[in-house]
């Protein structure tokens, strides 16, 4: 399977690559799409894949034989094995029936691969009216300076032991935001530092892990983090303190940029919009 860039590029309204997610606009290329096909068979990681931090085998791979590639639309199906099988079909194109075609393909492939869930994922441009789903935003560390946090935010390991021990309780409370998973990873194999906010000697907010990796072009990217504040501790500006502490960490450790995905209308979305990030588009997914 070989992609034609003159077919694919016009329908890429947002810089999203199946199995990799959002990428920097300067990294978007036909080579990047074709690289995801090359590693599909053995489920290996590409060097710049953000998921390689969490395991030895890639858990989502392109279903290469079922890719639909035409001059005005492209459908790229993937199979995700984590947490039960899910088929996703990434739908690129503006023609009116592209979502119907994607839904039909997703349903067929879910039956073939024994997947419990079938989804259509559609990247949309930043000009999309009344967007839903996930907003893709770019933080450019060359555009502004971030000062150190003035709030109660430090690396987890810099707090006294009794405070550090409260992180697991916080992680369990915020399991839906990924922190129970992160807590297990930290215990099992370690990872980059996690910045935490503390009130009354207990962890009530966190962002991390803080890690930088080169992207497909060699630029230093601050990798995505888990980010949450305990609902009982909200209203104290801790989210903004955590955010700015993370941005200061990334900037001072040499990151060029970060890509963020925020639920449209959510607290993190409002924070990032107020911080002046560049909007790159949206990801809208629906189950079929």
């Amino acid at each position: 399977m070989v992609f034609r860039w003159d077919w694919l590029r016009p329908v890429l309204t947002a810089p999203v690559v199946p199995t990799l997610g959002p990428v920097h606009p300067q990294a978007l290329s036909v080579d990047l799409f074709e690289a995801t096909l090359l590693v599909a068979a053995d489920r290996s990681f590409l060097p710049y894949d953000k998921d390689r931090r969490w395991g030895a085998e890639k858990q989502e791979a392109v279903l290469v034989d079922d890719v639909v590639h035409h001059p005005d639309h492209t459908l790229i199906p993937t199979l995700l094995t984590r947490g039960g099988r899910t088929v996703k079909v990434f739908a690129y194109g503006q023609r009116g029936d592209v979502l119907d075609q994607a839904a039909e393909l997703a349903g067929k492939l879910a039956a073939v691969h024994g997947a419990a869930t079938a989804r259509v994922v559609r990247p949309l441009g930043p000009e999309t009216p009344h967007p839903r789903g996930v907003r893709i935003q770019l933080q450019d560390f060359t555009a502004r300076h971030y000062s150190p946090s003035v709030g109660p935010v430090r690396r987890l390991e810099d707090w006294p032991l009794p405070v550090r021990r409260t992180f697991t309780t916080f992680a369990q409370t915020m399991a839906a935001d990924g922190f129970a998973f992160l807590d297990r990873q930290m215990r099992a194999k370690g990872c980059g530092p996690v910045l935490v906010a503390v009130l009354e000697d207990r962890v009530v907010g966190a962002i991390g892990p803080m890690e930088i990796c080169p992207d497909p072009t060699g630029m230093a990217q601050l990798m995505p983090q888990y980010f949450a504040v305990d609902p009982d501790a909200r209203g104290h500006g801790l989210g903004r303190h955590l955010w700015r502490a993370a941005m200061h960490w990334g900037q001072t450790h040499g990151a060029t940029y970060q890509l963020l995905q925020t639920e449209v209308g959510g607290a993190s979305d409002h924070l990032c919009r107020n911080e002046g990030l560049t909007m790159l588009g949206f990801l809208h997914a629906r189950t079929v």
Side-chain angles (χ1 to χ4, degrees), residues 24-273:
H24 195 287
Q26 293 180 16
L28 195 65
S29 69
V30 69
D31 292 340
L32 200 55
F33 278 82
E34 291 183 348
T36 67
L37 307 184
L38 296 175
V39 297
D42 61 3
R43 291 184 171 269
S44 58
F45 286 102
L46 292 164
Y48 37 77
D49 191 325
K50 64 183 183 299
D51 292 337
R52 67 180 303 174
R53 299 177 290 171
W54 309 124
E57 181 181 89
K58 181 73 172 174
Q59 294 183 312
E60 183 179 15
V62 174
L63 297 172
V64 179
D65 294 337
D66 299 294
V67 172
V68 176
H69 189 43
H70 293 304
D72 60 353
H73 72 289
T74 293
L75 307 178
I76 304 178
T78 70
L79 178 63
L80 176 68
T81 57
R82 181 180 63 245
R85 292 183 164 228
T86 298
V87 166
K88 303 180 195 174
V89 175
F90 289 77
Y92 301 91
Q94 299 302 317
R95 55 185 290 173
D97 64 346
V98 68
L99 292 180
D100 291 336
Q101 289 194 41
E104 181 179 354
L105 180 61
K108 181 185 78 172
L109 293 176
V112 169
H113 293 278
T117 307
R119 292 195 181 106
V120 171
V121 181
R122 191 175 195 189
L124 298 167
E127 73 287 347
T128 302
H130 312 296
R132 295 172 292 164
V134 174
R135 192 189 312 268
I136 306 164
Q137 305 187 69
L138 171 67
Q139 169 67 282
D140 181 356
F141 288 115
T142 68
R144 63 176 286 188
H145 172 70
Y146 279 93
S147 301
S149 170
V150 296
V153 176
R154 303 180 201 164
R155 296 184 307 169
L156 177 61
E157 58 265 37
D158 292 339
W159 290 96
L161 181 59
V163 174
R164 298 202 303 270
R165 286 174 172 163
T166 69
F167 181 79
T168 295
T169 301
F170 165 80
Q172 293 169 348
T173 300
M174 307 308 295
D177 295 278
F179 277 94
F181 168 77
L182 177 59
D183 189 37
R184 291 194 298 271
Q185 292 293 316
M186 292 164 65
R187 293 172 182 272
K189 62 183 214 176
C191 54
V194 175
L195 308 180
V196 301
V198 171
L199 285 181
E200 298 178 354
D201 294 327
R202 66 183 181 94
V203 174
V204 295
I207 186 168
M210 307 303 300
E211 296 174 338
I212 296 173
C213 294
D215 76 359
T217 68
M219 286 193 295
Q221 176 186 2
L222 180 61
M223 303 302 281
Q225 306 104 8
Y226 296 100
F227 178 29
V229 175
D230 188 318
D232 292 339
R234 292 173 186 172
H236 300 281
L238 296 177
R240 191 172 299 278
H241 283 307
L242 283 163
W243 161 260
R244 291 187 173 174
M247 296 305 100
H248 175 74
W249 189 98
Q251 191 170 59
T252 56
H253 285 78
T256 303
Y257 71 93
Q258 181 177 22
L259 294 167
L260 298 102
Q261 299 181 66
T262 56
E263 290 291 335
V264 172
S268 295
D269 189 50
H270 287 301
L271 189 155
C272 291
R273 298 298 293 151

